[in-house]
Amino acid sequence: MDDPITIGHRVQRLRTQRGLTQRQLAEPSYTPAYVSTLESGKVRPSETALRFLAERLGTSYEELATGRPAHLATELRLALSDAHQQLATGTADEAAVRYRRLLADAEHLGLVPEQAEALLGLGDCALETGELVDAGRHFQAAERLLAEEPLPRRARAIRGRAVAHLLAGELRYACYLLESTIDELGASGLADPEALVILYAAVIGPYIDMGAHARAAHAAELALALAPQVDDPALVAGMHRQVARTFLAEGRTADADASLAKAQAVYQQLSLCTDLAHCHWMRGYVQAQKGELASAEKELRAARDMLSARRATLFTAQVEVELADVLRRLGRHGEASDLLSAFLELGDRHGAVHAGGAHRLLGLIAEERGDTETAEEHYVMALGLLERSGASGDLADLCRLLGDLLRRGGRTEAALDAYRTGLGHRSPPGTTTLGPAPTALAFPRH
């Protein structure tokens, strides 16, 4: 809302243009004296007063309060919706061009919510293309713009920041962002179901990577309980996709498949291409865990092709690590090594967890070929990357592999050190390094 003097001059100009006296404008709800005081800029009008005057003057509340025609904000919101659809069905690069233009328009018009929406879109684009620093910067800028809004309005921006840190391998900080926001929602009395589903679904991934499976399962349970109170089908589908990970960690592959099927049906109906590719990716992972390697390869290749077509660089590179594992298990070591080497040539900019996973697989391939020296080199590289990220579950498995390799080579003391390192990184059930879990919030049953 503009300052009182600007609003007063605007009311006076519109009243004069319409040939109304101050009495005609004021009655029956206000007095001519009030209108006179308002027009001179000596009083800040309430929203109720401005809405009354706007109706009398034949204009909108928004135009009277800000000087902007209401249709400009409406048109910008529609354009943002179109940009979101373009991100879902086209490429991230093309959508980013549109979001940048809309951000400039929103800044020119002084429309803060629309600026935040454009920044959230730019953050999502940057996640897909692997520009994680840019993604975090966009999400943080959106969060700052919404600083005066209730916390639930900032949930998407906080989730975006956490995902950027997660993909960069900064698991503990991702957990911290999400857990502290969940607790703050509870303490503030603003326990909005949609915001909580966003946060609970997002925290499942880092929990599992850190080996805190019990805590991940609890977050999934809370998200599932809240889902009936959420109207956004894409959000609920994303929650089911994450919940599938907890089922898989518990060995409940049938439940994981069912959860993914729910998500996939929604994504197909809404034509959400990237999310649909993630479902193929997760299905491939589930089938690989069940030993159905041919089906797993088919699903992972479908995911890779869909993501590559959208130029989603980050996710394409990461799914290739999963595909390489399946190819290795099928005995196609050359194909697997080529994929992993291409991934590692990019450095660890696509996430320390996946880079560590690539070195682990190359170590396994080298070991299966009898090249123990190369295998050890890759295991040690993976160890450094996973220690940096805090991926406790993967670390424990890697230390076992390294310890077994050293023990078979007669290096017993070094093997014991590797085993101890793995044991030291195992998380107690249901915990992370962050202290108590977020407080579970109670909601009335509907």
Side-chain angles (χ1 to χ4, degrees):
M1 184 184 294
D2 286 335
D3 62 87
I5 292 175
T6 302
I7 292 173
H9 289 169
R10 189 175 296 131
V11 169
Q12 184 180 44
R13 175 175 53 80
L14 291 172
R15 177 179 64 77
T16 303
Q17 287 175 355
R18 286 152 177 74
L20 297 173
T21 66
Q22 290 180 339
R23 182 177 297 278
Q24 288 171 326
L25 177 60
E27 292 179 343
S29 298
Y30 297 92
T31 65
Y34 175 76
V35 172
S36 176
T37 304
L38 188 154
E39 289 183 349
S40 65
K42 295 177 180 177
V43 64
R44 175 174 289 278
S46 66
E47 180 179 336
T48 302
L50 278 186
R51 289 192 182 281
F52 170 81
L53 295 174
E55 184 178 353
R56 299 282 290 167
L57 291 167
T59 188
S60 68
Y61 163 76
E62 185 173 48
E63 186 166 0
L64 198 58
T66 67
R68 293 188 298 267
H71 70 87
L72 292 180
T74 302
E75 289 170 3
L76 188 56
R77 284 191 285 270
L78 289 172
L80 284 164
S81 180
D82 289 343
H84 183 68
Q85 186 64 22
Q86 185 174 15
L87 176 58
T89 58
T91 70
D93 288 336
E94 293 166 347
V97 170
R98 194 164 187 180
Y99 276 122
R100 279 192 288 270
R101 187 172 65 249
L102 294 172
L103 175 60
D105 291 344
E107 288 173 341
H108 176 70
L109 294 170
L111 297 171
V112 172
E114 286 71 21
Q115 289 177 53
E117 193 65 31
L119 285 165
L120 289 171
L122 284 170
D124 288 333
C125 292
L127 286 180
E128 287 205 15
T129 56
E131 304 300 328
L132 300 180
V133 174
D134 286 344
R137 180 169 52 81
H138 291 314
F139 289 125
Q140 196 160 28
E143 194 178 345
R144 282 197 298 267
L145 280 172
L146 299 172
E148 300 303 317
E149 296 288 327
L151 184 56
R153 288 274 290 117
R154 307 198 297 275
R156 287 173 57 206
I158 295 167
R159 186 264 309 271
R161 272 212 298 145
V163 170
H165 285 289
L166 169 64
L167 293 173
E170 298 160 1
L171 308 185
R172 291 187 184 89
Y173 191 65
C175 281
Y176 164 75
L177 284 175
L178 296 165
E179 289 188 340
S180 59
T181 307
I182 291 168
D183 275 335
E184 189 178 345
L185 278 169
S188 64
L190 298 172
D192 177 85
E194 183 169 306
L196 283 169
V197 169
I198 288 172
L199 298 167
Y200 282 134
V203 83
I204 288 171
Y207 277 161
I208 288 180
D209 287 342
M210 293 178 73
H213 293 167
R215 191 175 283 195
H218 185 55
E221 180 185 339
L222 294 170
L224 285 168
L226 291 168
Q229 300 178 52
V230 176
D231 295 327
D232 182 354
L235 174 56
V236 174
M239 179 270 297
H240 281 298
R241 201 177 81 213
Q242 293 300 321
V243 166
R245 296 191 65 182
T246 68
F247 290 145
L248 191 60
E250 295 171 352
R252 297 163 57 185
T253 53
D255 289 331
D257 270 331
S259 197
L260 287 171
K262 290 177 185 176
Q264 191 165 343
V266 173
Y267 293 146
Q268 286 174 329
Q269 183 179 3
L270 299 177
S271 300
L272 301 179
C273 299
T274 298
D275 292 309
L276 190 57
H278 278 273
C279 273
H280 283 291
W281 180 357
M282 190 66 187
R283 278 186 175 278
Y285 182 74
V286 171
Q287 288 162 351
Q289 296 303 302
K290 293 192 291 185
E292 298 171 3
L293 300 182
S295 297
E297 181 186 358
K298 182 179 178 181
E299 291 285 2
L300 291 171
R301 287 193 183 279
R304 186 188 65 171
D305 291 347
M306 292 172 71
L307 292 167
S308 179
R310 291 175 45 72
R311 299 198 290 274
T313 311
L314 172 64
F315 299 131
T316 302
Q318 291 183 345
V319 79
E320 286 180 342
V321 176
E322 304 280 2
L323 177 59
D325 186 33
V326 171
L327 293 174
R328 178 193 68 82
R329 292 167 64 187
L330 286 167
R332 291 150 63 183
H333 289 173
E335 292 177 65
S337 295
D338 288 345
L339 279 178
L340 295 167
S341 297
F343 176 88
L344 290 174
E345 283 175 7
L346 301 172
D348 63 356
R349 62 186 288 265
H350 291 315
V353 174
H354 281 81
H359 278 294
R360 172 186 173 278
L361 291 174
L362 285 168
L364 284 169
I365 291 170
E367 194 171 352
E368 288 162 4
R369 289 173 170 169
D371 186 353
T372 55
E373 184 177 341
T374 300
E376 182 179 347
E377 289 175 1
H378 281 298
Y379 288 155
V380 170
M381 287 287 290
L383 183 63
L385 288 162
L386 295 176
E387 279 188 316
R388 191 178 82 195
S389 69
S392 303
D394 291 342
L395 260 170
D397 175 66
L398 180 67
C399 289
R400 179 187 58 79
L401 289 172
L402 178 58
D404 289 349
L405 178 68
L406 295 169
R407 180 176 53 80
R408 286 192 296 269
R411 296 158 63 187
T412 306
E413 286 301 319
L416 286 170
D417 285 342
Y419 292 140
R420 291 188 192 103
T421 299
L423 289 170
H425 282 289
R426 289 196 66 84
S427 297
T431 69
T432 67
T433 58
L434 303 173
T439 304
L441 306 170
F443 285 87
R445 296 188 177 276
H446 292 281

